[in-house]
Amino acid sequence: MLMDLAALSGLDARDATRLRVLQCIRSQEEISRTDIAQALDSSPATVTSACGALLEAGLIREVERAPSGAVQRGRPRVMLQINGAAFLLAGIKIARHAFLVVIVDFKGDEIGTYALPLAESRMQADALVRRVRTALDAACDHLGVDVAQIAGIALGMPGFINGQTGFMHWSSSVIERNVDFVPLFQVHLPCPTFLDNDANLVAKAEHLFGAGRGLRNFLVVTVEHGVGMGIVLDGKLYRGERGCGAELGHSKVHIDGAVCQCGQRGCLEAYVGDYAMVRDASTGRQTDAPTSIAEILAMARAGDALAHQVLERASEILGVALANLVNLFDPEHIVLARSRPELDPPYPDIMLDALRRNTVQVDAPLPGLTVRNLDKSMWAKGAAAHGIEMLSILKVRERGAVDAA
Amino acid sequence: MLMDLAALSGLDARDATRLRVLQCIRSQEEISRTDIAQALDSSPATVTSACGALLEAGLIREVERAPSGAVQRGRPRVMLQINGAAFLLAGIKIARHAFLVVIVDFKGDEIGTYALPLAESRMQADALVRRVRTALDAACDHLGVDVAQIAGIALGMPGFINGQTGFMHWSSSVIERNVDFVPLFQVHLPCPTFLDNDANLVAKAEHLFGAGRGLRNFLVVTVEHGVGMGIVLDGKLYRGERGCGAELGHSKVHIDGAVCQCGQRGCLEAYVGDYAMVRDASTGRQTDAPTSIAEILAMARAGDALAHQVLERASEILGVALANLVNLFDPEHIVLARSRPELDPPYPDIMLDALRRNTVQVDAPLPGLTVRNLDKSMWAKGAAAHGIEMLSILKVRERGAVDAA
DNA sequence: AAATATTATTTTGCTCAGTGAAATAAATAT
DNA sequence: ATATTTATTTCACTGAGCAAAATAATATTT
């Protein structure tokens, strides 16, 4: 229901069932065995046995409190929920100028965050992994957590990365190309470590904890310095054949249009990315050129025509880009995550209007749209979500091994 | 491997296995049991039993002829292949001015085609289904096939259609909206009948018989009057949440661009669709306005600047649109199916160049591109492909029921 | 308070798809 | 002819998931 289970390596049918049950529980705040059976369309007997294993492993727990709402006749259902205390996990976003660490528990609740500033934005893979260790230790120290309690680490990084294998084809944060990080993780890090593209991880966070909870088809569009996208289709992340799809930021919105940081022309992010808006709003100014979206907004508010025009155009183009996504993917929902500050009126309306005017009209309502702030911890939380998912698999499998012994 | 089997209604595990084996055989010209076991990653025992059922049902057959190539030691493998004679099937494309019927056998080989011209391009659902019956009878008559031999019918129609349920939300060929065709089929047609969107069906045809054979992620782009797209992800057709995705023709390539037949502006097909090119190449001409792509090509060849410019622009825009698809979907392969006539040099190169220049650069090679002629029978063949797939399911299940008795 | 009704969960015995190992089949090599 | 090799089939078994029966825990009725 939530993830591609069959594709997970070395997971037998029983583990897959347990995992499905675990994810069903996670997708609700709390749920009874009967309801799980119904949700997964399987027999109560199967659910009982899977829950037994999960309880024994400490991954879930029974809730004492009576279920709220109208009291029913008959034996009351026992609600199950994720046992947050099962273990801790570190999500780390490899950003340009810092490593952002968030420590979460198994339920996804945040224990705390920590940022390790960086001098250089690109480094050798080996040095990067050592730095991750430094960041982890510092974060634990800062938050009063024993590093030994951390059961897993998940890293989010821009670039083309195969999240299943931990192989990085290219990243703006790493000097080398084509690096297999797995051996590096094994040498330098104290626990299982996972790596994936950062936009994918935000999609995963939305899928597990956010607006995408329980949805099968939705998109996450991230707008900050550049523009990224995560695609969830059929309940699982779509990565493309070579692992380099979802490059919305470099889809073309104009023939021979504005120059992009990638060197091509007419890329979406060359109009709506932070850097592009700053650049465009600075054109022709000798002094007082804006250096951030906040400054452009302030200037527009103060009546500056160019600033207004840049914001207006970006809003419209982003609306059109979202409309194109609706036309192509027809998703259930789109999450638009953009960095602060939020845009003032009338810009959001310009975007929504462009979205509406450019989607194919059918009877069915448009997909839902959630606009949310993409703060730094969101990225790291996405990494954590990925880690939770991967660790769930490990733990369930581990438990299976214990059973067998 | 080839299709979402679990999603098929009422198909138990055994039927699903048989179907997987059947599709594995279909995906190769011929294949031995051993190789099937390897391809499906299952045991030879399982394959033996599945093949037994399929042989008994007459859906496959053993090939007598010794396998070609170097003669091996040991017991020679017995090659299996689809038994084309298992049954016949009619694929029917509901086009604007005609019903195009193609009769194929179970292997997908064409028995023959037939076109029934239509006076009106839109009609009531009921009348349409009656006409389908007329077309079927006429086609069988014309091709010397007994209608009773036809085991299934598949219809392809433009519009928003749920291919699983046979429910049509909207179609340009039908006057009503929101029609459930299943009861109509039951009343008027002599055998199981399936309905789907036409671009999806072309994708299916490519998947079963064409350039998409054995691929998991590929796109089919159709360019004729308008622009359509079929998306195959993870081995199955992606239809979007509301069944109205893949509207590539109405994705926007210009803000406030050319007017499209859908009423919006800047749609891809308002630049590269046949109607748009004819319109644009006619602009400002009092006489000798072209009425077809062939005429525009002839004019360009004769040195007409406007005709050349229209062709050049359409080629470039189509290249950019394809690049955007690569950037978003990162498919294994793209099939570009366009109606005759083929474009002369330099237009294909302009398109390819635009494609290359606008895709995100990674180490991995670009997805493959097949440009193919989209003749009328292709659509109908797509319908037939869909019908074969659905009928395979029915037949396999039927056989299961016989076994049980 | 006891009996009854109702709903949730667990237990039990069974089914059946898929498997590994052994048997068999069909060819080549010696 | 016999040994070797490879493909396929047979057979006994495993194990996931299920239906039905049993049990548990509650509310309602008598």
Side-chain angles (χ1 to χ4, degrees):
Chain A
M1 181 191 184
L2 284 169
M3 187 165 55
D4 182 25
L5 304 167
L8 297 168
S9 55
L11 207 64
D12 66 20
R14 191 165 29 111
D15 290 339
T17 302
R18 288 175 185 173
L19 198 52
R20 253 177 34 238
V21 169
L22 184 65
Q23 302 209 317
C24 178
I25 296 170
R26 188 187 296 284
S27 75
Q28 314 287 319
E29 193 59 35
E30 53 178 49
I31 188 170
S32 68
R33 289 173 178 79
T34 312
D35 294 332
I36 295 171
Q38 194 151 29
L40 299 182
D41 198 31
S42 66
S43 75
T46 303
V47 174
T48 289
S49 103
C51 288
L54 294 173
L55 279 165
E56 206 188 331
L59 299 181
I60 62 173
R61 65 169 178 223
E62 299 188 334
V63 181
E64 296 303 324
R65 160 176 59 80
S68 58
V71 180
Q72 295 260 320
R73 256 166 89 118
R75 178 173 173 173
R77 38 190 70 180
V78 178
M79 304 307 273
L80 300 169
Q81 67 179 194
I82 296 293
N83 179 21
F87 51 78
L88 297 182
L89 197 131
I92 305 183
K93 153 81 173 177
I94 312 294
R96 310 180 124 238
H97 305 302
F99 284 1
L100 298 142
V101 184
V102 57
I103 309 270
V104 298
D105 66 17
F106 183 53
K107 200 177 158 199
D109 288 341
E110 185 175 312
I111 306 297
T113 65
Y114 177 84
L116 178 75
L118 290 180
E120 63 289 307
S121 61
R122 298 182 70 205
M123 50 182 113
Q124 301 270 352
D126 188 81
L128 187 142
V129 177
R130 289 168 190 271
R131 275 295 177 87
V132 166
R133 180 64 206 249
T134 309
L136 177 70
D137 289 341
C140 287
D141 196 42
H142 183 254
L143 297 169
V145 170
D146 183 352
V147 177
Q149 287 181 265
I150 304 290
I153 302 170
L155 304 180
M157 203 190 273
F160 307 135
I161 293 160
N162 184 327
Q164 303 299 305
T165 61
F167 189 87
M168 182 211 74
H169 298 277
W170 175 85
S171 167
S172 59
S173 301
V174 178
I175 292 169
E176 304 103 307
R177 288 180 154 234
N178 302 314
V179 178
D180 180 5
F181 271 91
V182 175
L184 295 174
F185 292 155
Q186 282 169 348
V187 170
H188 296 299
L189 298 174
C191 51
T193 303
F194 314 102
L195 174 70
D196 207 339
N197 168 277
D198 49 6
N200 279 349
L201 294 182
V202 174
K204 208 143 226 169
E206 293 288 348
H207 195 201
L208 260 68
F209 306 120
R213 195 184 288 216
L215 300 186
R216 297 193 59 78
N217 298 302
F218 74 97
L219 306 174
V220 176
V221 174
T222 63
V223 181
E224 42 161 28
H225 182 79
V227 174
M229 177 163 69
I231 303 175
V232 175
L233 298 181
D234 224 0
K236 59 179 198 273
L237 262 179
Y238 177 76
R239 298 164 187 279
E241 189 60 27
R242 302 168 299 163
C244 60
E247 280 297 330
L248 177 65
H250 301 287
S251 73
K252 304 300 177 288
V253 296
H254 270 307
I255 306 284
D256 291 329
V259 173
C260 177
Q261 55 179 349
C262 74
Q264 299 181 346
R265 283 175 165 280
C267 297
L268 174 63
E269 70 178 43
Y271 295 90
V272 308
D274 291 356
Y275 79 89
M277 291 172 69
V278 167
R279 174 191 66 193
D280 294 350
S282 304
T283 306
R285 293 187 210 271
Q286 302 303 318
T287 58
D288 298 328
T291 60
S292 70
I293 302 296
E295 288 177 33
I296 299 175
L297 272 169
M299 290 166 68
R301 238 181 265 123
D304 183 281
L306 177 59
H308 169 71
Q309 188 236 308
V310 166
L311 287 164
E312 187 178 34
R313 187 178 67 169
S315 301
E316 168 147 29
I317 290 181
L318 187 56
V320 173
L322 293 178
N324 281 347
L325 292 180
V326 172
N327 291 336
L328 287 180
F329 288 95
D330 185 29
E332 279 172 274
H333 199 94
I334 295 183
V335 176
L336 175 60
R338 54 171 309 147
S339 50
R340 286 206 187 285
E342 281 165 36
L343 297 188
D344 298 325
Y347 307 114
D349 288 329
I350 291 172
M351 185 191 79
L352 288 175
D353 191 50
L355 170 57
R356 261 189 300 269
R357 275 188 296 111
N358 289 286
T359 40
V360 169
Q361 295 303 316
V362 290
D363 283 348
L366 279 180
L369 177 69
T370 300
V371 180
R372 86 160 69 243
N373 175 248
L374 176 67
D375 65 21
K376 292 301 177 193
S377 81
M378 193 73 197
W379 294 106
K381 204 135 179 203
H386 182 223
I388 286 174
E389 194 174 287
M390 300 299 279
L391 262 185
S392 299
I393 296 166
L394 287 184
K395 293 291 173 184
V396 162
R397 195 185 301 164
E398 209 169 90
R399 170 55 37 184
V402 171
D403 283 358
Chain B
M1 181 187 183
L2 284 169
M3 188 166 55
D4 183 24
L5 304 167
L8 297 168
S9 55
L11 207 64
D12 66 20
R14 191 165 29 110
D15 291 338
T17 302
R18 289 176 185 173
L19 198 52
R20 255 179 29 240
V21 169
L22 184 64
Q23 303 209 318
C24 179
I25 296 170
R26 188 187 296 284
S27 75
Q28 314 288 319
E29 193 58 38
E30 53 178 47
I31 188 171
S32 69
R33 290 172 176 80
T34 311
D35 293 332
I36 295 171
Q38 194 151 29
L40 300 181
D41 199 30
S42 66
S43 74
T46 303
V47 174
T48 288
S49 105
C51 288
L54 294 173
L55 279 165
E56 205 187 332
L59 299 181
I60 62 172
R61 66 170 178 220
E62 299 188 333
V63 181
E64 297 303 324
R65 159 177 59 81
S68 58
V71 180
Q72 296 259 319
R73 253 167 90 121
R75 177 174 175 173
R77 37 190 72 180
V78 178
M79 305 307 273
L80 300 168
Q81 67 178 194
I82 296 292
N83 178 22
F87 50 79
L88 297 182
L89 197 131
I92 305 184
K93 152 81 173 177
I94 311 295
R96 309 179 124 238
H97 305 302
F99 283 0
L100 297 142
V101 184
V102 58
I103 308 270
V104 298
D105 66 17
F106 183 54
K107 201 177 157 199
D109 286 343
E110 186 177 309
I111 306 297
T113 64
Y114 177 83
L116 178 76
L118 291 180
E120 64 288 308
S121 62
R122 299 182 70 205
M123 50 182 113
Q124 301 270 353
D126 188 80
L128 186 143
V129 177
R130 288 168 191 271
R131 274 296 176 86
V132 166
R133 179 65 205 247
T134 307
L136 178 69
D137 289 341
C140 286
D141 196 43
H142 184 253
L143 297 169
V145 169
D146 183 353
V147 178
Q149 286 181 266
I150 304 290
I153 303 171
L155 303 180
M157 201 189 273
F160 306 135
I161 292 161
N162 185 329
Q164 303 300 304
T165 62
F167 190 88
M168 181 211 75
H169 298 276
W170 176 85
S171 168
S172 58
S173 300
V174 178
I175 292 170
E176 305 102 308
R177 287 180 156 234
N178 301 315
V179 178
D180 180 4
F181 271 91
V182 175
L184 294 175
F185 292 155
Q186 282 169 349
V187 170
H188 296 298
L189 297 174
C191 52
T193 304
F194 315 102
L195 175 70
D196 207 339
N197 167 278
D198 49 5
N200 279 348
L201 294 182
V202 175
K204 208 143 226 169
E206 292 289 347
H207 195 201
L208 259 69
F209 305 120
R213 195 184 287 215
L215 301 186
R216 298 193 58 78
N217 297 302
F218 74 97
L219 306 174
V220 175
V221 175
T222 63
V223 181
E224 41 162 27
H225 182 79
V227 174
M229 176 162 69
I231 304 174
V232 174
L233 298 182
D234 225 0
K236 59 181 200 270
L237 262 179
Y238 176 77
R239 296 164 189 277
E241 189 59 28
R242 302 169 298 164
C244 59
E247 281 297 331
L248 177 65
H250 302 286
S251 73
K252 303 302 177 288
V253 296
H254 270 307
I255 307 284
D256 292 329
V259 173
C260 177
Q261 53 180 350
C262 74
Q264 298 181 346
R265 282 175 165 280
C267 297
L268 175 62
E269 71 177 42
Y271 296 89
V272 308
D274 291 355
Y275 78 90
M277 291 173 69
V278 168
R279 174 191 66 192
D280 294 350
S282 304
T283 306
R285 291 186 212 269
Q286 302 303 319
T287 57
D288 299 330
T291 60
S292 70
I293 301 295
E295 288 176 33
I296 300 175
L297 272 170
M299 290 165 68
R301 237 181 265 123
D304 184 281
L306 177 60
H308 169 70
Q309 189 237 308
V310 166
L311 287 164
E312 188 177 36
R313 186 177 68 169
S315 301
E316 169 148 31
I317 290 182
L318 187 57
V320 173
L322 293 178
N324 282 346
L325 292 180
V326 172
N327 291 336
L328 288 180
F329 288 95
D330 185 28
E332 278 173 275
H333 200 94
I334 295 183
V335 176
L336 173 61
R338 56 171 308 149
S339 50
R340 287 205 187 283
E342 280 164 38
L343 297 188
D344 299 326
Y347 307 114
D349 288 329
I350 291 173
M351 185 190 80
L352 288 174
D353 192 50
L355 169 59
R356 260 190 300 268
R357 275 188 296 111
N358 289 287
T359 39
V360 170
Q361 296 302 316
V362 292
D363 282 349
L366 279 180
L369 177 69
T370 300
V371 180
R372 85 161 69 243
N373 175 248
L374 176 67
D375 64 23
K376 293 302 176 194
S377 82
M378 194 74 198
W379 294 105
K381 203 134 181 204
H386 182 223
I388 286 174
E389 195 174 286
M390 300 300 278
L391 262 184
S392 299
I393 296 168
L394 288 184
K395 294 291 175 185
V396 162
R397 195 186 300 164
E398 208 169 274
R399 170 55 36 183
V402 172
D403 282 359

